[in-house]
Amino acid sequence: MNFELLTQLIVNGLIVGTLYGVVAMCFVLIYKSTQVVNFAQGEFLLIGAWTCWALLVKFHLPFWLGFPITLAFMVIFGIVLQMVVLRPLIGEPIISVIMVTIGLSMFFQSLMGWIFGVYAKPFPRVFETESINLLGLQIQTAYIMSLVISVVIMIGFYYFFKYSRLGLAMRATAFDQQVAQSLGISVKKVFAAAWAISALVSAMAGVVVGMVNGVSSALSFFGIKVFPVVILGGLDSIVGAIVGGLIIGVLENLAEFVDSQWLHLGNMYTIAPFYALVVILMIKPYGLFGTKDIERI
């Protein structure tokens, strides 16, 4: 057995798992504040990656300037999207809002394909060295950057929900919108902030993945890959999103190792998280850290 390859894949899985955890926290953030699952989350990654790519390639901006501009644009994009499309749906059945997010997913994916084309385009070189040798393991520099940013975001999310006024307002709004409004909380501002933060964080993840794999419509699939992470950790748990991301990140890399060494099926890396999703729903449908809803009939 190739232990060097196994170690490399586990380390890669942990690093990519932090990225999964960050994107999963975006799902959790919107769900905790609005009780809506955003099926357009993957398109947020796609829009962020294409925006940064355009700034660097078309407008020839340096990365240190283009990246912050991308994040600022995504904050505005998230707020405008919530105000124009989703705010009129406040108070409507949840299924209606979910269907709108599915429609947004299809619309944005088609729009990005129309503007930038359907073929993958390489991200301009950002770092002088593409990979770093760490204890004999080759790790992509972009993943090192994502690891640092992801850890900072995870810590920031924890303190945001636990101590900030807006974070507490989001938790109250998720519990009961009418009660939150009676306490003076602006539900509209809470929703707008949730979508803005979600778009911001997703754009960061999209840029990182784009730097490694190139930018294409396949980036939107990243949002679907994070569903097993969200279900495993619990749809309303920030801690669960982090733990679930690490578990799924390692699981898919272990599946790739087993496939390359023995099975030779060729697609275990892609489908392993969804096998895990089915098992999770059968055994623990609320996830490892999710809140159990007890209903009396």
Side-chain angles (χ1 to χ4, degrees):
M1 188 166 61
N2 191 337
F3 286 101
E4 183 178 350
L5 175 62
L6 177 61
T7 305
Q8 178 77 63
L9 289 174
I10 290 176
V11 172
N12 288 346
L14 289 172
I15 295 175
V16 175
T18 60
L19 205 58
Y20 287 162
V22 165
V23 179
M25 285 193 296
C26 296
F27 277 102
V28 173
L29 175 64
I30 290 179
Y31 183 79
K32 282 176 73 72
S33 58
T34 67
Q35 294 294 297
V36 172
V37 177
N38 178 23
F39 283 91
Q41 197 70 56
E43 280 62 39
F44 284 6
L45 276 77
L46 183 63
I47 295 171
W50 274 126
T51 302
C52 190
W53 180 89
L55 290 173
L56 271 58
V57 174
K58 301 295 184 181
F59 297 95
H60 306 288
L61 294 180
F63 180 76
W64 62 266
L65 181 59
F67 186 56
I69 292 176
T70 299
L71 300 184
F73 166 77
M74 290 303 293
V75 169
I76 298 172
F77 169 79
I79 294 174
V80 171
L81 179 67
Q82 195 279 328
M83 290 177 61
V84 174
V85 179
L86 298 164
R87 181 171 293 182
L89 296 174
I90 292 179
E92 297 295 326
I94 296 298
I95 186 62
S96 300
V97 185
I98 291 176
M99 292 304 295
V100 168
T101 65
I102 294 175
L104 288 173
S105 171
M106 297 178 180
F107 170 75
F108 287 132
Q109 191 168 151
S110 300
L111 180 64
M112 293 297 103
W114 176 62
I115 296 175
F116 298 103
V118 296
Y119 298 105
K121 296 181 181 178
F123 215 84
R125 188 165 182 172
V126 175
F127 303 103
E128 293 184 2
T129 56
E130 294 185 358
S131 62
I132 297 175
N133 189 301
L134 185 63
L135 300 176
L137 302 174
Q138 290 295 326
I139 302 175
Q140 293 275 0
T141 309
Y143 281 155
I144 297 294
M145 181 191 78
S146 76
L147 177 63
V148 174
I149 296 177
S150 297
V151 171
V152 172
I153 291 174
M154 288 174 181
I155 296 173
F157 263 63
Y158 173 78
Y159 282 96
F160 173 76
F161 274 115
K162 195 169 183 65
Y163 299 109
S164 74
R165 183 183 295 270
L166 181 57
L168 294 173
M170 285 184 175
R171 292 167 61 186
T173 303
F175 181 76
D176 193 306
Q177 292 183 18
Q178 291 184 342
V179 172
Q181 284 181 322
S182 68
L183 294 174
I185 295 173
S186 173
V187 174
K188 294 180 180 179
K189 290 182 179 179
V190 167
F191 285 4
W195 284 86
I197 296 172
S198 177
L200 167 71
V201 176
S202 297
M204 183 277 297
V207 170
V208 170
V209 178
M211 284 193 293
V212 176
N213 300 325
V215 187
S216 71
S217 59
L219 261 175
S220 59
F221 184 67
F222 200 89
I224 302 298
K225 289 183 67 176
V226 173
F227 269 113
V229 175
V230 178
I231 300 302
L232 173 61
L235 199 53
D236 59 351
S237 173
I238 293 293
V239 175
I242 299 171
V243 175
L246 294 174
I247 293 175
I248 295 298
V250 172
L251 173 65
E252 64 181 9
N253 278 270
L254 287 177
E256 181 181 12
F257 176 78
V258 172
D259 187 41
S260 64
Q261 297 293 308
W262 297 293
L263 300 180
H264 306 295
L265 298 176
N267 62 348
M268 290 301 296
Y269 179 86
T270 303
I271 65 176
F274 297 97
Y275 281 131
L277 174 62
V278 174
V279 174
I280 295 160
L281 291 173
M282 292 173 58
I283 299 175
K284 202 172 179 62
Y286 293 104
L288 297 176
F289 299 93
T291 302
K292 292 184 178 180
D293 292 330
I294 300 176
E295 297 182 5
R296 299 186 183 279
I297 301 177

